[in-house]
Amino acid sequence: MEKLIVLGTGYALATRCYNTCFALEGGEGTLLIDAGGGNGILRQMEDAHLGFETVHDFFITHAHPDHLNGAIWVLRKIMTMMKAGKYEGELHIYCHESVHRALEMIAEIMLQKKFLVYIGDRVLFHDIEDGTSARLAGYDVTFFDIHSTKLLQFGFTTRLHGGAKLTCLGDEPFNPACRAVVEGSDWLLCEAFCLLEHADVFKPYEKHHSTVADAAKLAGELGVSHLVLWHTEDRHYAQRKALYTAEARQFYAGDLYVPDDLDVIKL
């Protein structure tokens, strides 16, 4: 069974939930996408009953700290397992060259030499560009530049085993320049920073984010069957599912998910 395992759903400064990151299972092992902003990724993986020994492919969308900083803890954990003989094979990290450089620099500063020896040996970086394709955890994945207005960032698209197309837009609004890649998606993973009625409070457009209404309208326009909304403010975390669902339903009639941390979505 193919599953999307939601490890975190919050924006950069969230404290009531973890930063947005997730895993895909059902191919060959676990495909990890981003890692949040700290060692909370270790707790999230544990609570999701995901073993790091199953993670051999890891995609980092961009270098903002709420997506990148947790990656150093993924490396620390897996390198520890390698040293103890509890991790078989290699860890493949897919990211842009700028993310690659940043993560290696952080590792050089923060990790002991006994761990750094694995970089280039069993921890292998694969630098991506717009249109790069690769096979990750049994999925044929194509990466695309989301045309971020803040920092170079990549989303991805893939086909699930049943043929459905799944697309992750990253953590910024859909850019029409990506239409050719995104169009035809059955599953759309989309940021929705806040409710439209709270836009004056959270100012999503100043932060280059969307409202729930924006994301729902986009999914309707693109004919998406399944919409997942996350990367949100966390002030309304306890009520978020009900509030966001109610607003989205004004504009979108398809299969809608507003997951909490650690929810599992069957694909």
Side-chain angles (χ1 to χ4, degrees), residues 16-117:
R16 296 171 178 84
C17 54
Y18 194 58
N19 311 123
T20 300
C21 53
F22 63 101
L24 290 178
E25 269 205 333
E28 300 166 6
T30 301
L31 170 55
L32 181 62
I33 297 93
D34 288 335
N39 76 341
I41 186 63
L42 305 181
R43 173 64 180 270
Q44 297 305 98
M45 289 284 288
E46 182 177 303
D47 286 351
H49 306 292
L50 285 175
F52 280 95
E53 69 277 1
T54 69
V55 178
H56 293 278
D57 294 298
F58 180 22
F59 169 47
I60 305 171
T61 58
H62 63 298
H64 281 158
D66 55 317
H67 298 262
L68 177 66
N69 287 4
I72 198 68
W73 290 98
V74 174
L75 264 62
R76 176 72 166 78
K77 175 67 173 180
I78 289 178
M79 289 170 171
T80 299
M81 295 172 69
M82 286 177 173
K83 187 169 177 56
K86 296 180 179 179
Y87 184 95
E88 296 183 2
E90 301 165 337
L91 173 65
H92 297 267
I93 303 173
Y94 295 82
C95 58
H96 185 261
E97 184 267 341
S98 59
V99 178
H100 174 177
R101 283 190 288 107
L103 191 53
E104 279 202 333
M105 186 182 302
I106 296 169
E108 183 72 28
I109 294 169
M110 298 182 67
L111 298 183
Q112 298 173 32
K113 289 182 180 179
K114 65 182 180 181
F115 298 124
L116 295 177
V117 296

Side-chain angles (χ1 to χ4, degrees), residues 104-174:
E104 279 202 333
M105 186 182 302
I106 296 169
E108 183 72 28
I109 294 169
M110 298 182 67
L111 298 183
Q112 298 173 32
K113 289 182 180 179
K114 65 182 180 181
F115 298 124
L116 295 177
V117 296
Y118 292 110
I119 294 179
D121 177 25
R122 294 178 64 189
V123 175
L124 304 175
F125 284 90
H126 303 269
D127 295 346
I128 65 171
E129 297 288 350
D130 188 34
T132 297
S133 293
R135 189 163 180 83
L136 281 66
Y139 291 102
D140 292 320
V141 172
T142 298
F143 304 101
F144 62 93
D145 184 344
I146 72 165
H147 298 279
S148 168
T149 55
K150 295 185 292 187
L151 184 72
L152 183 65
Q153 181 176 168
F154 287 82
F156 74 89
T157 186
T158 189
R159 291 281 178 183
L160 302 175
H161 299 324
K165 181 178 179 179
L166 180 145
T167 299
C168 172
L169 288 179
D171 74 354
E172 291 194 27
F174 168 74

